[in-house]
Amino acid sequence: MNGLQMYYEIHGSGGTPLLLLHGGLFDIDLQFGELLPGLSATRQVIAVDFQGHGRTNDADRLLRCADLASDVVGVLEHLGVARVDVFGFSVGGGTALHLAVKHPELVRKVIVSSASFNSDGLRPENAGAVGSMTVEMIAGTPMEQAYRAKSPHPDKLQDLLDKLGTFDEGFTGWSDADIEGIAAPTLITVGDCDAVTLDHAVRFLRLRGGGVNGDFEGVPASQLAVFPGTTHFFGLARTELVLDVVLHFLDAPMPEG
């Protein structure tokens, strides 16, 4: 579709496959490299590079969660995988959320990291900062170096930055009813100084059935983890903490019914 040749990797074996979806300007290695050994120790992990990222070429279209989700569905169909757990960060978190809302048959559990379900959850300065990014601003960073080393078109980094600057433009987000209607148990993670506000993360949790007195009502299937001293850029940097939270959530029994 659109000439896209999507790069993916498979690690480990067993259990429900875990699909990893990275954030904007990152790739499989940059986002999940430190986590992959722990995540794949007891399950199969499928990781993809999104359109224009890592080893996947760009295509003649803007970056939209709906299109990225469609690409992912195509990969799963190609692999013959009928059901997955999904772990997405930022752009990948938005894509994971799209899969959970629009393709509930595919998603057993979903982890939405550092992503909001509508624009109200983002700090107002975020859009302007992303929209004005240039190659010169990220020169010498791991993102710039990885892009030039892996991309099929290493001279198009500014094109990617421009597309990230208008990511999902025009999409107003999901309604409360959409979020409440998600079938998959949901883990929300956010940094305590993230681009996504804590108020929004708590609202997200409550719409998923969390925020209750678990001693009296039981621990909800959907949960929230706030990582301390953690920004958006470093949202998954505390490897042992992230692994503990994520694996505990994935390994917990599915709720009855």
Side-chain angles (χ1 to χ4, degrees):
M1 183 182 295
N2 295 304
L4 195 71
Q5 297 182 341
M6 197 165 190
Y7 176 83
Y8 65 87
E9 296 178 359
I10 298 177
H11 300 260
S13 62
T16 300
L18 174 63
L19 175 67
L20 301 182
L21 305 176
H22 64 78
L25 201 56
F26 280 63
D27 58 29
I28 296 169
D29 304 319
L30 288 173
Q31 191 83 78
F32 296 109
E34 295 298 316
L35 295 166
L36 265 169
L39 292 174
S40 62
T42 56
R43 74 196 73 236
Q44 183 183 77
V45 173
I46 303 167
V48 303
D49 281 339
F50 281 137
Q51 171 193 338
H53 291 76
R55 296 174 176 87
T56 298
N57 65 305
D58 203 354
D60 186 19
R61 66 180 189 189
L62 298 176
L63 286 174
R64 299 285 183 265
C65 272
D67 291 329
L68 299 180
S70 178
D71 296 339
V72 168
V73 171
V75 170
L76 295 179
E77 290 176 349
H78 170 73
L79 295 173
V81 175
R83 195 163 172 83
V84 292
D85 295 329
V86 187
F87 180 5
F89 181 85
S90 189
V91 166
T95 304
L97 195 53
H98 187 101
L99 290 170
V101 173
K102 292 295 188 180
H103 299 276
E105 74 286 352
L106 287 177
V107 181
R108 188 187 75 115
K109 292 185 177 183
V110 60
I111 303 167
V112 180
S113 292
S114 294
S116 61
F117 65 84
N118 63 34
S119 58
D120 293 343
L122 296 173
R123 298 186 192 278
E125 67 273 15
N126 194 61
V130 175
S132 62
M133 287 183 68
T134 65
V135 173
E136 291 72 22
M137 292 169 64
I138 64 167
T141 64
M143 297 87 74
E144 188 248 359
Q145 293 169 349
Y147 181 91
R148 296 199 187 281
K150 299 172 187 175
S151 176
H153 33 64
D155 58 331
K156 292 188 176 181
L157 180 53
Q158 188 60 56
D159 291 350
L160 173 59
L161 294 176
D162 292 343
K163 288 184 178 184
L164 288 170
T166 60
F167 177 72
D168 249 2
E169 196 170 72
F171 177 62
T172 57
W174 302 107
S175 68
D176 288 4
D178 290 327
I179 299 303
E180 289 174 329
I182 292 171
T186 306
L187 171 63
I188 302 150
T189 84
V190 65
D192 62 354
C193 44
D194 208 314
V196 177
T197 68
L198 293 177
D199 288 345
H200 183 82
V202 170
R203 181 177 170 217
F204 196 167
L205 175 69
R206 287 175 174 155
L207 289 172
R208 298 298 302 121
V212 302
N213 189 331
D215 288 322
F216 297 108
E217 301 183 39
V219 175
S222 293
Q223 301 164 10
L224 168 65
V226 179
F227 298 137
T230 300
T231 67
H232 189 77
F233 184 84
F234 292 103
L236 300 180
R238 299 184 63 176
T239 302
E240 295 305 319
L241 177 59
V242 174
L243 281 175
D244 181 68
V245 169
V246 167
L247 293 177
H248 187 274
F249 171 75
L250 292 176
D251 292 339
M254 286 288 287
E256 296 182 8

